[in-house]
Amino acid sequence: MTTVLRVPEELSARVPAEQRGPGLDRDAVRLLVSRGTAVSHHGFAELPGLLRAGDLLVVNTSPTLAAAVDGRVGHARVVVHFSTRGDAAHGDGRWAVELREPDGRGTTRARTGTHAGSEVRLPGGGLLVLEEPLSARGERLWWARTTADVRGVLREHGRPVRYSYTERDQPLSVYQTVFALPSADGAGSAEMPSAARPFTARTVAELVSRGVQFAPVTLHTGVSSAEAHEPPYAERFAVPAESARLINAVKAGAGRVVAVGTTAVRAVESAAGADGAVRAAEGWTELVVTPERGVRVVDGLLTGLHEPEASHLLMLEAVAGRPAVDRSYEEALRGLYLWHEFGDVHLILPEERPHTEHCDSNSS
């Protein structure tokens, strides 16, 4: 960003919206809308009126896992974050994991001294053995083998990954979005695809009644870097043939393709060819969307508010341009919007052209 912005600690959303007062639901968050450098302020419940018939929302159906598990390395307590499952279809039964240490406040901090061969004792008696770093980028995430049934360990002993700005542990249901679908192989996201969190069944029904369509995709997110704001590692994704067809049809018409979350952008852009057409695809993606690469498919993005250092902002810049991102973040700080996964959300739409045919009161 052109301006270095500092997010005050008091703007971190410490609890979910529905826990901030009686009668509130998940949609009781604010919605910052930017079209180019023009910014307007709304409530999330106004979203159906900000979109129009023929628009398409691309949503991530990955369920959130209870991916944090207590363990021990020797006599030291550790917390294992199970990030990404290896490709079992190709004989790799490993998991990518991050070892952290308790910070005494119910959350964790980065752990030093992790090395190949480190053994972690898991609850239930399983053993986890670190083999090699996931990438040459650093030693935060490791490929590890385990004697344990990880799905069973997460089910019986896991809890959602929690960061220090949150107030308390929450049940896994708080971290599931309305679009989450169970995965046949037990795969899921180590961190919630949080841009979709404010959606309720009521919001979805109203959007559908107004002619907005939905295209489901899947991207299983790994554990992000709380301290270093690293770019994302390789992640598993799937874009079904029907969703690809829907996206291409909307692109060929007058509708707008709006991704719900940076994970949905990564999935759909990974399935797009150089011609901009989306084709059914699944596997691993290493795509990092940057301003230099640009976007081929999405016209808009609904996303949370990210730390100014976060790599996600490069994706926002690819969609909207740097002046628009700078302006919207200055407005978010000025307007005291709340940050992080339980916070407020930001809708980036294409800049309205003066000659557009869509100028009714609902698109203002």
Side-chain angles (χ1 to χ4, degrees), residues 269-288:
E269 292 289 333
S270 296
D275 58 356
V278 178
R279 297 167 179 86
E282 63 179 309
W284 292 83
T285 178
E286 296 187 2
L287 176 66
V288 178

Side-chain angles (χ1 to χ4, degrees), residues 27 44-50 200-212 214 362:
D27 59 2
F44 184 80
E46 297 175 64
L47 178 66
L50 294 160
T200 62
R202 180 178 60 247
T203 310
V204 172
E206 186 175 353
L207 285 162
V208 170
S209 74
R210 288 172 175 255
V212 175
F214 290 83
N362 282 336

Side-chain angles (χ1 to χ4, degrees), residues 200-275:
T200 62
R202 180 178 60 247
T203 310
V204 172
E206 186 175 353
L207 285 162
V208 170
S209 74
R210 288 172 175 255
V212 175
Q213 300 182 85
F214 290 83
V217 300
T218 302
L219 187 132
H220 298 310
T221 68
V223 178
S224 64
S225 168
E227 290 83 19
H229 304 290
E230 301 165 341
Y233 288 81
E235 293 169 322
R236 292 171 58 197
F237 82 104
V239 175
E242 179 62 16
S243 292
R245 186 195 66 76
L246 257 178
I247 292 165
N248 292 331
V250 168
K251 293 294 287 184
R256 300 170 295 186
V257 176
V258 179
V260 177
T262 57
T263 61
V265 176
R266 195 181 201 198
V268 75
E269 292 289 333
S270 296
D275 58 356

Side-chain angles (χ1 to χ4, degrees), residues 46-253:
E46 297 175 64
L47 178 66
L50 294 160
L51 299 176
R52 56 197 186 212
D55 285 344
L56 178 70
L57 291 175
V58 181
V59 297
N60 186 2
T61 63
S62 177
T64 308
L65 301 176
V69 175
D70 293 324
R72 286 191 176 272
V73 175
H75 295 294
R77 292 177 58 216
V78 297
V79 177
V80 183
H81 287 173
F82 285 88
S83 179
T84 305
R85 187 178 63 81
D87 197 342
H90 292 88
D92 192 345
R94 300 185 298 178
W95 277 78
V97 301
E98 179 185 22
L99 297 193
R100 295 177 68 85
E101 61 184 30
D103 62 4
R105 300 191 301 270
T107 51
T108 62
R109 56 182 169 237
R111 184 177 189 272
T112 58
T114 301
H115 56 83
S118 292
E119 296 185 350
V120 184
R121 296 196 307 279
L122 298 173
L127 193 67
L128 184 77
V129 181
L130 305 192
E131 291 192 340
E132 59 182 341
L134 187 64
S135 137
R137 197 189 299 166
E139 297 187 349
R140 182 176 67 86
L141 290 171
W142 289 75
W143 283 117
R145 292 199 181 274
T146 179
T147 61
D149 168 18
V150 173
R151 291 172 63 178
V153 169
L154 299 187
R155 185 172 57 250
E156 294 178 32
H157 304 286
R159 60 186 180 276
V161 170
R162 178 188 157 203
Y163 292 115
S164 59
Y165 48 77
T166 56
E167 187 172 290
R168 56 182 174 269
D169 285 347
Q170 298 284 352
L172 184 59
S173 59
V174 164
Y175 290 87
Q176 300 295 5
T177 75
V178 72
F179 304 112
L181 295 172
S183 177
D185 63 359
S189 289
E191 296 182 357
M192 171 178 54
S194 56
R197 192 184 187 281
F199 283 87
T200 62
R202 180 178 60 247
T203 310
V204 172
E206 186 175 353
L207 285 162
V208 170
S209 74
R210 288 172 175 255
V212 175
Q213 300 182 85
F214 290 83
V217 300
T218 302
L219 187 132
H220 298 310
T221 68
V223 178
S224 64
S225 168
E227 290 83 19
H229 304 290
E230 301 165 341
Y233 288 81
E235 293 169 322
R236 292 171 58 197
F237 82 104
V239 175
E242 179 62 16
S243 292
R245 186 195 66 76
L246 257 178
I247 292 165
N248 292 331
V250 168
K251 293 294 287 184

